[in-house]
Amino acid sequence: MQNLLRLGRPLLGIGVAVIGFLSLVFRDAVPGLEPIPATLPGHLVLTLLVSGVLIAAGASLALNWHAPLGAAAVTTVSVLWLLLLHLPVLAGDAANPLLLTAAAQTLMLAAASAFAWATLPRPHPAPPPLMREDRLATASRIAFALPLFAFGALHFRYHVAVSGMIPHQVPARAWWPYATGLAFLAAGAAIVTRTRARLAASLLGAMFAAWVFLVHWPRVVANPGSQLEWTGLALA
């Protein structure tokens, strides 16, 4: 497991740092994850401030330099996004698939960074029954898995739209939303119940990695000036 964690933390850090860098370059909030109203006073200042935090926090995770502080910063930022920006809007339109997807992605980012913090080596760990890190790791593991059920349901409900995102050269495009939806549901159940959870999480990571090359990179190449497409690539 430690090998997976040593791989996962830098990947998480690189993704977060790139998202922050894109926000800085485009001088705009992170698409989807950070829906700051354009009318909010100090919109640009807040955007640049958060982008700086993301770059620094992501770099600390990627380089394993003050990594607990970096993981805590990413967790704090993403939880604030979820509570202040996503939930109030989602409460008024809970059936909106775009809003639900963005909120679920934000929750997964918060959970992943919290899990990274909880599983970082400690110089003087407390006895296992008293470790708050163990409780946080369990909570963040479940919080990471819950959005997978939403993703699975959305893939079934909006299978036509999902199939439209799949490159034309991929065979049987119409069936992939169902296969992916089942994969999300199975991974979520496995991670929540800890039944083959490590295998499920590894396969889930492999699926996201495949999307980087099959889905996101071609979209970036087709539209290299889009912050949204670059951010989707970094998030995956």
Side-chain angles (χ1 to χ4, degrees), residues 42-53:
H43 176 278
L44 179 58
V45 174
L46 182 58
T47 295
L48 297 180
L49 176 63
V50 173
S51 68
V53 171

Side-chain angles (χ1 to χ4, degrees), residues 44-124:
L44 179 58
V45 174
L46 182 58
T47 295
L48 297 180
L49 176 63
V50 173
S51 68
V53 171
L54 293 177
I55 293 171
S60 76
L61 280 168
L63 301 174
N64 196 25
W65 184 72
H66 295 292
L69 183 60
V74 179
T75 304
T76 301
V77 168
S78 48
V79 167
L80 288 175
W81 284 348
L82 187 64
L83 295 178
L84 300 180
L85 301 177
H86 289 281
L87 293 186
V89 178
L90 192 61
D93 192 7
N96 188 314
L98 297 178
L99 296 179
L100 182 59
T101 298
Q105 290 175 332
T106 306
L107 175 58
M108 290 186 76
L109 179 60
S113 54
F115 189 85
W117 184 91
T119 54
L120 279 164
R122 296 296 192 273
H124 302 291

Side-chain angles (χ1 to χ4, degrees), residues 99-177:
L99 296 179
L100 182 59
T101 298
Q105 290 175 332
T106 306
L107 175 58
M108 290 186 76
L109 179 60
S113 54
F115 189 85
W117 184 91
T119 54
L120 279 164
R122 296 296 192 273
H124 302 291
L130 302 177
M131 285 181 67
R132 62 180 182 179
E133 290 85 356
D134 281 354
R135 293 194 293 270
L136 178 59
T138 299
S140 57
R141 171 177 55 81
I142 295 173
F144 182 86
L146 291 180
L148 300 177
F149 296 106
F151 293 150
L154 289 173
H155 273 65
F156 280 96
R157 175 66 177 83
Y158 299 99
H159 59 93
V160 175
V162 173
S163 65
M165 300 176 62
I166 301 173
H168 291 279
Q169 63 268 27
V170 176
R173 292 169 66 235
W175 292 100
W176 279 108

